[in-house]
Amino acid sequence: GSSPATQELARVVGRLAASDVNVLLVGETGTGKRLCARALHLIGPRGAGPFVTVSCRALSTDALERELFGTSSPGRAGEERPGLFEQASGGTIFLDEVGELRLGLQARLVRVLEERRVRRAGDTSDRPIDARIVAATQRDLDSMTREGSFREDLLYRLRVAAIVVPPLRERSGDVEVLATAFLAALADAPEHRAPRALAPEALVLLERYPWPGNVRELRAAVERASLVAAGATLV
């Protein structure tokens, strides 16, 4: 995108990528928080290391705990498994939808962020970790702390630096850039012959719509329209 909001976002991401501090990405669904997290990783000093992602919403608390911290069963072959914090060693772990964490797991995460050590389930000792932590949420964590559903000490540790990812409706001019890029990617796919250009009237309609689902919704709309389009121009 070329809008001032997008250019400012790129500037902030570029500046924070050079550091190793924890970053909290805040923005509506579909704005590109995961893309920003990957950019923080790739253009930073840990870019050659692993980029490990986990959705804090997709798993139950017990499953997420095992996934993050790993399991240890001494003497039982095949049951020794490092968690994602260990797997992200030398790189970045991205905690998506961190506002969905239950309070008990939040307490464990505070300790991990403070001590940079994890203890696998079934283990009796801690293991050091070496991973940058980037988290994302679409929720208002400040309000959640006042309500008691999100730990204030966890918020402070996650939000050493914060990036607000703007919604598409605040990125004037980016709709055309994004829609054109999505069309080009679809047209280059061997299994999908898509139009390569937007008709002026189609662009007017796209720019008038508020896009509550943001970039993700725009991409789906362009792909859906291209499937039924006839000719080289999307009308």
Side-chain angles (χ1 to χ4, degrees):
S2 57
S3 68
T6 302
Q7 294 301 304
E8 174 63 13
L9 175 63
R11 186 188 68 79
V12 173
V13 168
R15 188 178 74 243
L16 291 179
S19 73
D20 208 34
V21 300
N22 299 341
V23 176
L24 179 65
L25 297 159
V26 181
E28 298 175 7
T29 182
T31 50
K33 298 186 292 295
R34 184 183 296 267
L35 185 64
C36 289
R38 186 174 289 277
L40 285 166
H41 168 72
L42 288 175
I43 64 179
R46 293 176 176 268
F51 179 73
V52 177
T53 69
V54 60
S55 172
C56 299
R57 171 187 285 174
L59 300 172
S60 68
T61 298
D62 289 344
L64 182 58
E65 189 168 9
R66 291 192 299 271
E67 194 76 8
L68 287 173
F69 306 122
T71 57
S72 180
S73 300
R76 299 175 65 178
E79 295 190 28
E80 193 84 9
R81 191 173 66 86
L84 295 181
F85 278 107
E86 291 181 73
Q87 294 177 39
S89 180
T92 302
I93 183 168
F94 175 49
L95 306 173
D96 199 11
E97 300 294 350
V98 72
E100 308 304 319
L101 286 174
R102 295 292 181 264
L103 283 169
L105 197 48
Q106 290 179 32
R108 287 202 63 183
L109 188 54
V110 168
R111 182 170 177 269
V112 170
L113 297 183
E114 190 170 81
E115 301 179 5
R116 297 287 165 165
R117 302 179 70 84
V118 296
R119 180 174 296 186
R120 296 179 185 176
D123 211 343
T124 57
S125 60
D126 295 339
R127 300 166 189 262
I129 61 167
D130 174 30
R132 183 182 194 177
I133 290 89
V134 178
T137 185
Q138 59 178 309
R139 303 188 66 176
D140 184 344
L141 297 186
D142 287 299
S143 294
M144 291 177 67
T145 61
R146 290 191 292 270
E147 296 164 358
S149 57
F150 199 85
R151 291 179 63 107
E152 190 173 35
D153 52 357
L154 176 57
L155 177 57
Y156 291 154
R157 286 169 174 80
L158 290 174
R159 197 171 58 189
V160 176
I163 298 176
V164 177
V165 185
L168 188 54
R169 63 183 174 275
E170 294 179 6
R171 297 167 51 182
S172 177
D174 284 359
V175 168
E176 180 179 7
V177 175
L178 288 164
T180 301
F182 294 149
L183 275 180
L186 289 167
D188 289 339
E191 74 283 359
H192 189 68
R193 292 186 176 182
R196 288 187 171 270
L198 284 165
E201 58 269 29
L203 179 59
V204 169
L205 290 174
L206 291 177
E207 291 184 332
R208 283 179 179 172
Y209 185 67
W211 300 109
N214 293 292
V215 180
R216 185 181 297 130
E217 184 184 8
L218 173 62
R219 181 172 186 167
V222 169
E223 184 169 5
R224 185 168 58 249
S226 69
L227 288 172
V228 297
T233 303
L234 187 64
V235 296

